[in-house]
Amino acid sequence: MPSTIVMTGASRGIGRAAAQRILRESPDTHLLVVARGSSGAGPAADLGTGGHRVSYVTADLGSLESVRSAADEIRERLEHGELPPLHGFVGNAGVQCTNALIEGPEGFETTFAVNVLANHLFVRRLQAHFVRPARIVITVSDTHFGDLRHNLGMVPGPAWRSPDVLARPAAFPELHTTTAGRTAYSTSKLAAIHLVHEHARRLPTGIDVIAYNPGFVPGTDLARNAGSVSRFAMHRILPAMILTPFATSRTAAGRHLADLAVGTTVAPTGCYVDRAHVARSSAESYDPRRERELWDAAERLTAAHTA
């Protein structure tokens, strides 16, 4: 039966591979790509070759007003019958900055805005339009464990603060440094898992929400804001690691994400999927008190864009 899946981060890397597989394995799907500015036109056209149904809406995920506008456009298209019923949302887009100072138009730190608040706002704005069974997948990262086994010494572990502090620039020491930017990244991914747990408690039965960890995937554009040395290593040296158990290829990571999105991979709501298997996230990620606090903060911080 025809259905719509909304997807962020489908233009390149893991997301592009996942989008291609979704359309190939689930040909009745209308894939709605969320992309910045006009950057969605090319990928939507490429993905739509061969008769696949693909369209796009524009959004700057660092701006909550832009996210709200995109979500409302999607809602209108669903209500007017321009799109088949909504059965999925894939929040795959993510950003890692070179410091903890960059802020969006509403004053929120960009890493937290894109990796946490944008997904929360999309889910909340679209919630009433999901047709059950539906599945929401949020891409997270094993850097949230904060140990050498999971981050290979490249990304500092999370440093939790009050959500109101995390949402603003300068939440971490040495805020001008790459270390601060990467700490913001791992912390945002821990926050994303917390919100998956809380969404799972609050969403109606039949709307499942899952945290997906692709593992370390070299060669993606996650390091696009890093220095030249880091970009060179990510694109020219580290890809060799896909021959080891410590890394995942873009194709494999995209396949795992797509299989989650369309329900091929069996996974209960609120769970953490490590590549292709349900697993335990870090001990720190299971904290109902912190999850409620983060939920309340996310609701308050996005309130101006949910009315």
Side-chain angles (χ1 to χ4, degrees):
M1 180 172 293
S3 64
T4 295
I5 293 178
V6 175
M7 185 175 185
T8 70
S11 298
R12 56 177 69 89
I14 296 170
R16 183 62 171 266
Q20 291 169 332
R21 182 172 176 87
I22 288 170
L23 293 168
R24 184 171 62 250
E25 300 299 320
S26 184
D28 286 339
T29 296
H30 183 118
L31 186 66
L32 183 57
V33 175
V34 180
R36 187 168 184 168
S38 61
S39 65
D46 291 343
L47 290 167
T49 58
H52 296 303
R53 291 175 291 178
V54 183
S55 59
Y56 76 99
V57 296
T58 62
D60 174 0
L61 300 182
S63 163
L64 295 185
E65 179 57 29
S66 181
V67 171
R68 184 205 61 77
S69 178
D72 286 356
E73 180 180 341
I74 295 168
R75 297 200 311 182
E76 290 177 7
R77 292 177 62 184
L78 288 164
E79 291 166 0
H80 293 157
E82 298 172 19
L83 294 170
L86 178 64
H87 284 276
F89 173 79
V90 180
N92 178 65
V95 65
Q96 182 182 117
C97 299
T98 56
N99 57 55
L101 284 171
I102 303 171
E103 63 181 71
E106 292 92 6
F108 298 117
E109 192 274 321
T110 294
T111 312
F112 195 84
V114 173
N115 297 354
V116 183
L117 295 179
N119 286 327
H120 181 75
L121 183 54
F122 261 124
V123 172
R124 296 292 281 148
R125 294 296 287 176
L126 296 176
Q127 180 175 326
H129 289 73
F130 282 109
V131 176
R132 293 174 275 183
R135 178 168 280 193
I136 298 162
V137 182
I138 306 298
T139 300
V140 294
S141 167
D142 49 9
T143 60
H144 84 277
F145 280 91
D147 56 20
L148 183 63
R149 173 190 169 195
H150 291 92
N151 64 25
L152 305 178
M154 294 185 290
V155 179
W160 192 258
R161 307 280 190 274
S162 160
D164 289 288
V165 173
L166 294 174
R168 303 294 179 177
F172 306 100
E174 301 180 323
L175 47 93
H176 293 88
T177 66
T178 300
T179 297
R182 291 177 178 174
T183 302
Y185 175 79
S186 62
T187 306
S188 75
K189 293 302 185 178
L190 174 61
I193 296 172
H194 283 325
L195 276 182
V196 164
H197 294 162
E198 195 63 23
H199 272 288
R201 295 185 186 102
R202 296 170 183 264
L203 284 168
T205 301
I207 304 178
D208 295 341
V209 56
I210 296 160
Y212 165 65
N213 168 46
F216 174 56
V217 185
T220 69
D221 279 347
L222 185 62
R224 59 187 176 274
N225 295 320
S228 58
V229 174
S230 295
R231 293 199 308 272
F232 178 82
M234 191 65 146
H235 289 281
R236 300 297 182 183
I237 299 174
L238 295 179
M241 290 186 65
I242 63 172
L243 301 175
T244 76
F246 299 106
T248 311
S249 70
R250 281 177 289 180
T251 300
R255 180 176 72 250
H256 299 326
L257 176 56
D259 289 348
L260 262 181
V262 301
T264 302
T265 297
V266 177
T269 190
C271 77
Y272 175 81
V273 174
D274 181 18
R275 299 165 179 85
H277 305 286
V278 176
R280 294 280 293 179
S281 50
S282 71
E284 184 182 8
S285 71
Y286 299 94
D287 188 331
R289 180 197 60 79
R290 186 188 285 180
E291 290 158 3
R292 287 192 297 272
E293 179 187 27
L294 178 59
W295 173 276
D296 290 343
E299 289 284 280
R300 185 175 66 256
L301 296 172
T302 61
H305 309 282
T306 57

